[in-house]
Amino acid sequence: MNDLDGPGRYQYMSFNAPLSEAHADAIAARLAYARPADVLDIGCGWGELMLRVLDRTPRAVGMGVDTDEELLARGSAAAAQRGLDERVTFINTPGVSVGQQADLVICVGASHAFGGNAAALTTLMQHVRPGGRLFYGDGLWDPTVTPKKPELVWADFFDLPDLAGLVDLAVATGYLPLFTETASPDELDDFESRYLADGEEWLLRHPDHPGAANVRAGTEDHRRRWLHGYRGAFGFAYLTLGRPAA
């Protein structure tokens, strides 16, 4: 895509989730410590966390599945750059169509593909080999926080669970909660800023472009919803869940 065609996508983001470099490395190291033989990333995007796990497990193989060809191509290029291309494949297919099992399954921010957390956790259990792990990330909502302008909050945010509710749901589904953590406020702010940077940086270079008005309207709407709507109430959980061996 030529820069004059419009802003790029996720150019300033290492992850399409609120996750710092240090936090991601700590998670990858912990997941690799279990020495999974294979890793399955469902709704992988460009699969950065999976690649970091594979970097730490030289004998493991990985598969990332998504339906966004552009992001899959980014993942394949990153794998080749790191010398991992012989151990990882990226496949364009819906997450609900996956039939494989793996020692480690990763699913971050993709519960919508299954119809929500309850359906996602139930379906993903089938992909986790007994004795294996699911690394699951998804949005949270703090019901004790009153947004400054509730009308700016996307309606489905109000239906998100709080952390206790999400963990309880995972336990009720049959998982063991091995590790529970959340994105920090700094990670959440950094995520929003990096998401908006595609448009903001492009506008900085092309303020008089014919498409600038539409890009500006989109970035301003998102920024307004974030800063005056859901900031402080929206959160993100990262759960490391175990499927019992028996």
Side-chain angles (χ1 to χ4, degrees), residues 21-36 48-60 82 84 87:
E21 294 288 337
H23 195 177
D25 283 339
I27 289 171
R30 188 172 67 250
L31 296 176
Y33 184 77
R35 297 182 180 178
E48 176 63 25
L49 185 60
M50 174 179 63
L51 295 179
R52 294 193 186 203
V53 174
L54 293 175
D55 269 331
R56 293 165 170 80
T57 50
R59 296 183 180 180
R82 300 180 195 187
L84 296 172
R87 292 199 285 130

Side-chain angles (χ1 to χ4, degrees), residues 85-194:
D85 47 319
E86 293 187 358
R87 292 199 285 130
V88 64
T89 56
F90 287 89
I91 299 176
N92 188 337
T93 191
V96 293
S97 300
V98 176
Q100 291 89 341
Q101 282 192 328
D103 287 343
L104 170 62
V105 176
I106 297 172
C107 184
V108 176
S111 65
H112 58 277
F114 300 93
N117 285 306
L121 288 166
T122 298
T123 302
L124 292 167
M125 175 77 81
Q126 303 168 22
H127 299 298
V128 181
R129 196 168 287 125
R133 288 163 168 77
L134 167 66
F135 183 75
Y136 187 78
D138 214 84
L140 302 173
W141 186 258
D142 186 346
T144 67
V145 176
T146 302
K148 290 185 290 185
K149 295 185 177 181
E151 68 276 11
L152 293 179
V153 179
W154 283 293
D156 57 348
F157 277 21
F158 292 110
D159 296 327
L160 293 171
D162 62 7
L163 180 62
L166 184 60
V167 173
D168 288 348
L169 180 59
V171 171
T173 306
Y175 294 98
L176 295 174
L178 304 178
F179 209 90
T180 300
E181 54 198 314
T182 59
S184 71
D186 285 346
E187 286 177 307
L188 289 160
D189 283 349
D190 184 68
F191 169 72
E192 296 287 354
S193 296
R194 288 177 182 272

